[in-house]
Amino acid sequence: MASDTAVPVASTATGHPTGKGARRRPHDDTRLALMFIAPAFLGYCVFLLWPTLRGIYLSFTRFNLLTPPKWVGLDNYVRMVHDPIFWNSMKVTLEYVVLNIAFQTALALVIAVMMQRLTKKTWLRGIVLTPYLVSNVVAAMVFIWILDYQLGFGNYILQHLGLGRIAFLSSDHWVIPTIAFINVWRHVGYTALLIFAGLQTIPESVYEAGRLDGASENRMFRHLTVPLLRPILALVLIITVVGSFQVFDTVAVATQGGPVNSSRVLQFYIYDLAFGRFQFGYASALSVALLLVLLIVSIVQYRLSRADESDLD
Amino acid sequence: MFRTKRIRRRGVGVALAAATVASTLAACGGGATGSTASGTIQYWLWDSGQQPGYQKCADAFHQANPTITVHISQYGWGDYWSKLTAGFIAGTAPDVFTDHLSKFAQFADLKVLRPLDELAPTKDIQDSDYQSGLAELWKGQDGHRYGTPKDWDTISIFYSATALKAAGITPEQLSTATWNPTDGGTFEKIVAHLTVDKNGKRGDEPGFDKNNVVQHGISSEGSGGGGWGQTQWSAFTGSTGWQATDKNPWGTTFEMSDPRFLSTISWYFGLVRKGYMPTYQEIGGSSAIGTDKEIQTGMAAMGLSGSWMISTFSNLTDAKGKKLDIGIAPSPIGPSGHRASMFNGLADSITTQSKQPETSAKWVAFLAGEQCQDIIGQSGVVFPARPKATQLAIEYNKSKRNLDVTPFTDQVKDKTTFLFPVTSNAADITALMQPAMDSVYIGSQPVSSLSKVNAQLNQLFKVVG
């Protein structure tokens, strides 16, 4: 649908600069810019803005999708505040995000620096990205088998090491760390690649100066790489934190929120309410809550990390 | 952002499905409006074991009505319901689908099912054509009929004859076992004796190590929070005379604070603490294996399961590919003095989205009719809803599988069955029951916590109803 509408807009956009107006006043590109923006803006409105507004509207209704929505005011939000499963899912989601982001970012940073400083081999850099090429569902399935309590290879190794079997995905203590680890495995390469791109922007001369001053590799990492990488790291963190809050498919495939509610993350709870229990109104209210949380988290992150300034100048 | 692709991919699937359905509808739209019914009927079922039988029915139907073709699609239980729900939302639901009592009420509430008593081919279906009680279950609160009975199922014990023999227990002992929630009766003695730890000690012998059990006396099918313990504890709670709701179908008050229920659940999950039943972790948590796999791998010596599993059990093999010797025994006699089994059945329903209700009704009437039910009976996968076809299934199992399935059918003959609790708000009930029962199974919540869940269920009907 989007490509259909994009074609005529693009053709008028390319046709425009040949017109007389554009030749006479070359500095005013507003109209041209608007035309380039138009297709994306249309997509933004149709696929993002309108659904968001409609979702906010639906959060004030009782709606089962098959009969018309009924306005109930703030009922859904009152229910949300008193819903222990909602608060539990918030807690579980937060626990997941903290574990996932902390390990993922730290590991990715190490991998990226190693790619930058130690090896120039393309195939080695490529290997780092391979887990990301596996779909989330497949990754979850593979780990279900590896970590199976009875037959999994992972538990087979643990038992032979004398550590005893661990019910990774079916004990309430292990389930969130396990899911967080599965997603670290899958996303760390991609995150490392983003950071690696950021590292490329740091000029080699900075390191040369460091080396002349006799700084060790370790010290250069702490006092040169990290500060100069800050804007990129901030961007990567915002993207990955937002993604992390929306963890869904690993949970849907591996645990369906269990055992009991210990992996019932917010996105899965919302999905279950909407598509399992036909409570689209209440599910919309929870989605709005998630939207607000993400908005606040992103703004705070942006401010704290001064993502819009660089120390490179 | 990067982690929600599943929904999007599913979205594409729905769009594709919509396109195919639209094109098939367009292709046969002309015929459907004519005087003689014609076209392609989309029919869904979830049990792959039943597909060959129903394909035969579809072929016979096509032979009798050459202008109508039935296209059967099969999806696994989990996908089936999410696909159907998505289908109702996206307008791509099939014409006719296999319906389950645990889902039917929700669909009736959402008004996505067509009343069959208003369609000519299914108008004259009589309750008395089917095993007693089956047809009534499919009538909505408004009195309309929303499903035609196709089969029924009860619960029995499947056992490994080898394990029984090794323990010195005869099939007769198992078939006449009695049970009570206080000490478990002779049934628990059998379960204990069938349990073996890694040193070869049995569950009733001194020095038995309950933490290192090799063979459990009884299998686990999970906590039973999703279907009123159908293949878990329902045979036990039922044999105390307990019922889940004040009336059935369409009860609105729940009975989970009843001491008979609480003491039974306490005894049942007590088997886990004693090492007689596999733990939540052992069966694989939320993606659990069932009684068939547990007996096959030797994790359990016997276990409760439904009659729809007969063909699966009769085909179980060991690691070398040799057929296992499987027997069937009835559920134990409980405090009420008789056995009990949940009596459940499937039916065929027509969706309101079907563009050809009359043609669909013709197919539904055929599925519920004598010819198709006899075909199903002779395929030996399930017990058809008609008494005569049920008899054919019993004979098939006797002659082709050398399997006595009367423990299943005797429950119906002796009227020791109770019906699956049909209520509104089924999805909400499952959402509350599943985690609650799981935590009792795991042991993180006491059995008494179920009284609180009961209050929540009752509240559900006050708010929504």
Side-chain angles (χ1 to χ4, degrees):
Chain A
M1 196 194 275
S3 59
D4 287 349
T5 49
V7 174
V9 176
S11 63
T12 48
T14 45
H16 185 251
T18 53
K20 277 178 184 169
R23 216 178 281 166
R24 221 175 284 155
R25 281 179 287 132
H27 289 297
D28 185 18
D29 293 337
T30 317
R31 283 187 63 193
L32 182 65
L34 281 179
M35 280 174 189
F36 275 120
I37 292 169
F41 184 71
L42 189 74
Y44 172 80
C45 288
V46 172
F47 297 111
L48 210 77
L49 193 65
W50 173 242
T52 307
L53 291 177
R54 182 153 169 82
I56 293 171
Y57 159 70
L58 287 176
S59 73
F60 295 102
T61 65
R62 185 180 297 157
F63 182 40
N64 68 17
L65 210 76
L66 296 165
T67 50
K70 201 173 133 235
W71 185 266
V72 294
L74 285 170
D75 276 12
N76 287 327
Y77 290 94
V78 173
R79 178 179 162 194
M80 181 175 86
V81 174
H82 293 106
D83 182 356
I85 300 174
F86 164 71
W87 290 111
N88 176 67
S89 70
M90 268 290 181
K91 199 190 96 205
V92 169
T93 311
L94 213 63
E95 189 190 339
Y96 167 84
V97 170
V98 169
L99 283 172
N100 178 242
I101 294 303
F103 283 95
Q104 180 172 294
T105 314
L107 261 174
L109 192 59
V110 171
I111 293 173
V113 171
M114 273 162 52
M115 283 200 287
Q116 160 92 343
R117 312 287 303 150
L118 298 180
T119 177
K120 295 268 191 284
K121 292 195 181 75
T122 319
W123 66 269
L124 203 61
R125 289 174 176 180
I127 279 180
V128 174
L129 199 63
T130 44
Y132 188 67
L133 305 179
V134 179
S135 94
N136 269 341
V137 174
V138 174
M141 291 300 296
V142 168
F143 275 100
I144 288 178
W145 291 327
I146 295 177
L147 302 177
D148 186 274
Y149 186 68
Q150 293 284 334
L151 314 161
F153 188 64
N155 269 317
Y156 173 81
I157 292 175
L158 282 181
Q159 201 162 23
H160 273 253
L161 292 174
L163 295 170
R165 286 182 293 189
I166 295 174
F168 285 102
L169 288 164
S170 46
S171 96
D172 51 348
H173 302 296
W174 279 99
V175 65
I176 282 295
T178 305
I179 293 171
F181 160 77
I182 294 173
N183 284 331
V184 166
W185 175 81
R186 199 181 103 78
H187 292 275
V188 74
Y190 179 77
T191 316
L193 196 75
L194 290 179
I195 298 177
F196 178 65
L199 287 175
Q200 305 282 54
T201 64
I202 304 176
E204 184 59 26
S205 57
V206 179
Y207 291 102
E208 263 168 44
R211 235 171 271 134
L212 279 179
D213 292 340
S216 66
E217 198 67 36
N218 204 337
R219 197 172 158 154
M220 285 200 289
F221 173 74
R222 274 184 292 130
H223 294 282
L224 294 177
T225 311
V226 173
L228 292 176
L229 200 59
R230 203 202 58 242
I232 296 290
L233 263 183
L235 173 83
V236 167
L237 271 177
I238 290 173
I239 291 176
T240 52
V241 165
V242 169
S244 191
F245 262 101
Q246 298 178 359
V247 55
F248 173 78
D249 27 22
T250 318
V251 173
V253 173
T255 66
Q256 285 103 54
V260 193
N261 288 318
S262 46
S263 67
R264 200 169 302 275
V265 294
L266 198 51
Q267 281 276 55
F268 188 75
Y269 186 44
I270 292 171
Y271 165 81
D272 196 35
L273 277 169
F275 294 92
R277 298 166 69 178
F278 293 96
Q279 299 184 8
F280 284 86
Y282 185 48
S284 299
L286 296 194
S287 304
V288 171
L290 179 63
L291 177 76
L292 288 177
V293 168
L294 289 180
L295 213 63
I296 293 166
V297 167
S298 299
I299 291 172
V300 168
Q301 270 187 317
Y302 195 80
R303 284 282 160 80
L304 283 183
S305 57
R306 294 180 290 127
D308 51 344
E309 321 162 14
S310 169
D311 297 331
L312 209 56
D313 307 317
Chain B
M1 184 178 233
F2 302 110
R3 291 162 206 219
T4 52
K5 298 216 173 99
R6 191 182 149 108
I7 293 181
R8 233 177 282 155
R9 207 176 301 128
R10 183 171 288 171
V12 173
V14 168
L16 281 177
T20 24
V21 171
S23 61
T24 35
L25 285 180
C28 58
T33 49
S35 54
T36 51
S38 70
T40 301
I41 298 167
Q42 297 293 334
Y43 179 58
W44 285 13
L45 47 79
W46 65 78
D47 188 348
S48 58
Q50 298 185 33
Q51 195 173 356
Y54 283 107
Q55 189 56 56
K56 274 189 209 161
C57 283
D59 295 343
F61 180 70
H62 182 65
Q63 216 154 37
N65 305 277
T67 50
I68 313 174
T69 312
V70 177
H71 182 259
I72 302 179
S73 306
Q74 182 264 329
Y75 308 100
W77 170 266
D79 290 340
Y80 183 85
W81 296 108
S82 44
K83 224 174 150 55
L84 192 65
T85 309
F88 283 131
I89 293 166
T92 59
D95 296 298
V96 184
F97 70 99
T98 308
D99 205 347
H100 192 269
L101 282 174
S102 68
K103 311 277 180 181
F104 145 67
Q106 189 107 37
F107 292 141
D109 287 347
L110 292 169
K111 305 210 182 318
V112 291
L113 304 181
R114 204 174 267 275
L116 300 178
D117 45 330
E118 289 174 358
L119 296 166
T122 45
K123 198 173 70 209
D124 298 323
I125 284 175
Q126 298 294 322
D127 293 354
S128 56
D129 291 345
Y130 306 94
Q131 295 280 10
S132 76
L134 278 186
E136 287 87 336
L137 283 174
W138 294 94
K139 283 184 183 161
Q141 298 192 75
D142 53 8
H144 286 299
R145 186 191 300 284
Y146 288 103
T148 52
K150 58 193 300 163
D151 62 19
W152 58 266
D153 53 71
T154 49
I155 304 302
S156 287
I157 297 169
F158 289 92
Y159 60 82
S160 153
T162 325
L164 227 62
K165 208 176 207 172
I169 294 166
T170 64
E172 287 67 39
Q173 278 175 296
L174 183 57
S175 303
T176 53
T178 57
W179 168 86
N180 67 70
T182 323
D183 65 4
T186 57
F187 182 73
E188 182 171 334
K189 289 202 174 67
I190 293 173
V191 171
H193 198 61
L194 283 170
T195 308
V196 183
D197 73 7
K198 67 169 182 185
N199 301 318
K201 280 245 183 313
R202 292 191 172 272
D204 52 359
E205 290 171 2
F208 164 71
D209 179 3
K210 63 176 186 179
N211 295 317
N212 285 293
V213 175
V214 182
Q215 173 183 286
H216 295 276
I218 187 166
S219 72
S220 165
E221 293 238 321
S223 72
W228 293 105
Q230 185 179 26
T231 57
Q232 293 86 5
W233 36 263
S234 75
F236 301 105
T237 52
S239 72
T240 66
W242 178 80
Q243 295 278 347
T245 47
D246 54 341
K247 58 177 196 279
N248 194 21
W250 312 115
T252 52
T253 319
F254 294 82
E255 308 288 347
M256 283 199 297
S257 353
D258 189 313
R260 287 175 299 177
F261 173 77
L262 293 175
S263 61
T264 304
I265 295 298
S266 177
W267 169 81
Y268 182 81
F269 290 114
L271 295 175
V272 181
R273 315 297 164 244
K274 292 172 188 162
Y276 299 164
M277 184 187 275
T279 61
Y280 181 82
Q281 285 86 0
E282 277 176 273
I283 60 163
S286 55
S287 40
I289 54 171
T291 299
D292 53 330
K293 292 270 172 5
E294 289 166 48
I295 290 180
Q296 187 175 27
T297 56
M299 186 199 273
M302 63 173 187
L304 291 153
S305 194
S307 53
W308 64 91
M309 292 296 283
I310 291 172
S311 78
T312 306
F313 276 98
S314 70
N315 289 325
L316 287 184
T317 56
D318 64 9
K320 294 188 193 89
K322 197 175 142 279
K323 264 211 171 142
L324 294 180
D325 192 0
I326 300 288
I328 304 170
S331 58
I333 298 161
S336 63
H338 59 75
R339 326 177 179 284
S341 164
M342 194 182 272
F343 192 33
N344 180 40
L346 309 183
D348 292 305
S349 295
I350 301 177
T351 64
T352 45
Q353 286 178 8
S354 174
K355 299 275 191 311
Q356 37 187 354
E358 293 286 333
T359 318
S360 299
K362 227 173 166 169
W363 165 236
V364 168
F366 185 80
L367 284 167
E370 211 171 307
Q371 191 185 352
C372 174
Q373 301 234 328
D374 285 356
I375 293 175
I376 298 302
Q378 278 152 353
S379 72
V381 181
V382 289
F383 296 119
R386 286 174 175 266
K388 184 182 144 242
T390 299
Q391 200 52 43
L392 289 174
I394 297 175
E395 282 155 22
Y396 176 91
N397 279 294
K398 192 78 220 156
S399 63
K400 293 274 159 59
R401 295 182 177 136
N402 193 27
L403 206 59
D404 179 15
V405 294
T406 49
F408 288 107
T409 52
D410 281 353
Q411 299 262 16
V412 180
K413 204 178 73 191
D414 302 342
K415 299 203 187 311
T416 51
T417 57
F418 58 95
L419 297 166
F420 185 95
V422 176
T423 62
S424 299
N425 304 318
D428 291 312
I429 293 170
T430 305
L432 288 168
M433 281 283 281
Q434 186 73 58
M437 293 305 297
D438 278 358
S439 44
V440 172
Y441 180 16
I442 293 166
S444 57
Q445 287 288 328
V447 175
S448 56
S449 66
L450 295 175
S451 300
K452 213 177 90 190
V453 177
N454 194 61
Q456 288 176 320
L457 293 189
N458 287 336
Q459 191 63 26
L460 209 59
F461 283 79
K462 280 182 197 116
V463 176
V464 186

